[in-house]
Amino acid sequence: MDDKVAVLATAMGGTAFLNALGAVIVSATVGRNLMRLPYAPHLVGNPDSGVVHGGAVTAMLDQACGMAVGSALGLERPAGGLRSIATLDLRIDYMKAAKPGADIFVTGECVKITRQIAFARGRAYQDSEEDPIAAATGTFIITDIKPGS
């Protein structure tokens, strides 16, 4: 992980939301990342089966895609201002239930950045990325926030 990506990973991986899920960033490069969601009882959606709730998988995919966009944009900011990234659209295709008791890995990749819109995709899996639990396609808006606006 280079220094800029490490700073972004620390900032985005340290969000209260991600901490509440218990997720960790495994690796990050410019425009790509890998996160791990350790299996935990508070993430279970169905107590009878022990399967992790789909909302936790969705949240991880959104985070991974957003973080991929953030790292692809880099640390450059508009003069004196801030840059924000917000999810415009997120499509999740659930392909199978996660195995109870096993960690979930999530990848995020920034595919393209235009002046105000970025496109990303993600994948959630357990044993192999080639056998996904879910796949995501996301669109993100990039907004420069100038001082006094």
Side-chain angles (χ1 to χ4, degrees), residues 21-130:
L21 289 175
V24 294
I25 296 171
V26 175
S27 65
T29 59
V30 174
R32 299 183 67 97
N33 61 70
L34 172 64
M35 295 193 287
R36 183 173 58 89
L37 180 64
Y39 184 83
H42 73 278
L43 300 175
V44 171
N46 181 342
D48 294 334
S49 67
V51 172
V52 170
H53 193 282
V57 175
T58 296
M60 289 293 296
L61 286 164
D62 190 20
Q63 181 80 20
C65 288
M67 188 175 150
V69 169
S71 68
L73 287 171
L75 295 176
E76 293 78 26
R77 297 178 175 184
L82 300 171
R83 177 169 286 151
S84 73
I85 304 163
T87 306
L88 281 177
D89 182 60
L90 186 68
R91 176 193 165 98
I92 308 289
D93 292 321
Y94 290 97
M95 298 174 188
K96 67 178 188 178
K99 289 186 300 190
D103 295 352
I104 296 172
F105 294 90
V106 178
T107 62
E109 176 187 16
C110 181
V111 177
K112 181 175 179 67
I113 297 175
T114 66
R115 191 171 58 83
Q116 286 189 304
I117 305 294
F119 303 90
R121 60 183 165 213
R123 191 172 279 220
Y125 64 94
Q126 289 177 304
D127 297 326
S128 165
E129 191 172 356
E130 304 310 314

